[in-house]
Amino acid sequence: MQIEIRNDSVLIDGYVNAVARDSRPMLSERGEKFVEQISPKAFQRAIDKNEDVLCLLNHEPSRILGSTKQGNIELFEDNIGLRAICKITDAEVIEKAKANRLRGWSFGFEAVKEHEEPIADGFKRRFVDEMNLAEVSIIDEQRIPCYVGTSIETRADKTSKLEYRGEDFKAKIIDNTRQPKVDYSQYERVIAEISK
């Protein structure tokens, strides 16, 4: 994960989640222990069928930082996982980036097709094969982006399970607002002499 701080924005580039890799252990709504993998190409299929994926701060619907439709966030899946490149102009996020208070990425999704298999020690492995990708979120120190669980939302008179997943990251911060001053006095003297 790389955060580039500019005068009026931050450019955040990194992976939201890897594919074909076990999550940390979680508990299902029924109290069953499981790990989860997002199947390869599931993210890309979700992006391709969704006209607009939002970028939020901390999964808060009132804190929209941009979207794929607005053009300030690009989402794609490669052989590692879901990668996001976004340019954020929100003043609060810029200040949090400068203070090293951004903790990670997370994403909200609804599983459409999944399967599971038993593994050791009473665990199951859940594979998310198809999903509806609702949003990706930048997480600050107020949230813990480590597979924080699930919540239930009601949409259009039906109940659907919107799940949130994420991972911590150690950001590499590049602050372009703190460039060293260059002393041009030597060049100015040379130019002044040539101009005589």
Side-chain angles (χ1 to χ4, degrees), residues 23-83:
S23 69
R24 295 178 181 173
M26 295 184 275
L27 283 176
S28 73
E29 294 169 340
R30 298 180 303 271
E32 299 170 331
K33 299 181 291 184
F34 73 101
V35 295
E36 180 177 80
Q37 287 191 18
I38 306 299
S39 298
K41 304 296 181 198
F43 281 122
Q44 193 61 52
R45 286 191 297 271
I47 293 165
D48 291 344
K49 70 181 178 182
N50 192 341
E51 289 182 18
D52 195 24
V53 179
L54 298 177
C55 180
L56 306 177
L57 178 63
N58 293 330
H59 299 293
E60 295 292 333
S62 63
R63 294 295 282 122
I64 298 173
L65 303 174
S67 73
T68 53
K69 198 174 215 175
Q70 289 177 12
N72 71 320
I73 182 166
E74 180 184 359
L75 296 172
F76 58 92
E77 181 183 330
D78 62 17
N79 61 340
I80 295 172
L82 176 61
R83 185 171 172 193

Side-chain angles (χ1 to χ4, degrees), residues 71-114:
N72 71 320
I73 182 166
E74 180 184 359
L75 296 172
F76 58 92
E77 181 183 330
D78 62 17
N79 61 340
I80 295 172
L82 176 61
R83 185 171 172 193
I85 302 170
C86 61
K87 181 180 179 183
I88 305 298
T89 57
D90 182 90
E92 180 185 4
V93 174
I94 294 169
E95 287 308 309
K96 287 177 185 281
K98 287 179 180 178
N100 198 20
R101 292 169 52 200
L102 299 180
R103 297 215 24 197
W105 283 104
S106 187
F107 64 102
F109 73 101
E110 178 185 10
V112 175
K113 183 180 176 189
E114 58 189 76

Side-chain angles (χ1 to χ4, degrees), residues 129-144:
D129 300 312
E130 299 290 336
M131 70 170 76
N132 291 326
L133 182 62
E135 49 92 0
V136 296
S137 280
I138 297 169
I139 304 299
D140 65 16
E141 77 285 352
Q142 297 175 26
R143 294 275 182 114
I144 301 171

Side-chain angles (χ1 to χ4, degrees), residues 151-162:
S151 70
I152 304 294
E153 283 188 4
T154 302
R155 290 193 206 160
D157 297 327
K158 70 172 190 166
T159 300
S160 63
K161 184 170 64 172
L162 187 64

Side-chain angles (χ1 to χ4, degrees), residues 129-196:
D129 300 312
E130 299 290 336
M131 70 170 76
N132 291 326
L133 182 62
E135 49 92 0
V136 296
S137 280
I138 297 169
I139 304 299
D140 65 16
E141 77 285 352
Q142 297 175 26
R143 294 275 182 114
I144 301 171
C146 310
Y147 294 100
V148 294
T150 64
S151 70
I152 304 294
E153 283 188 4
T154 302
R155 290 193 206 160
D157 297 327
K158 70 172 190 166
T159 300
S160 63
K161 184 170 64 172
L162 187 64
E163 303 181 51
Y164 301 101
R165 302 287 188 267
E167 297 185 46
D168 279 322
F169 70 80
K170 176 73 173 151
K172 176 184 176 186
I173 298 176
I174 301 168
D175 191 344
N176 287 332
T177 63
R178 297 182 185 172
Q179 296 297 324
K181 284 202 158 215
V182 179
D183 181 10
Y184 291 106
S185 60
Q186 176 184 354
Y187 300 106
E188 290 168 353
R189 282 193 300 273
V190 171
I191 291 171
E193 283 195 29
I194 295 173
S195 301
K196 289 184 187 178

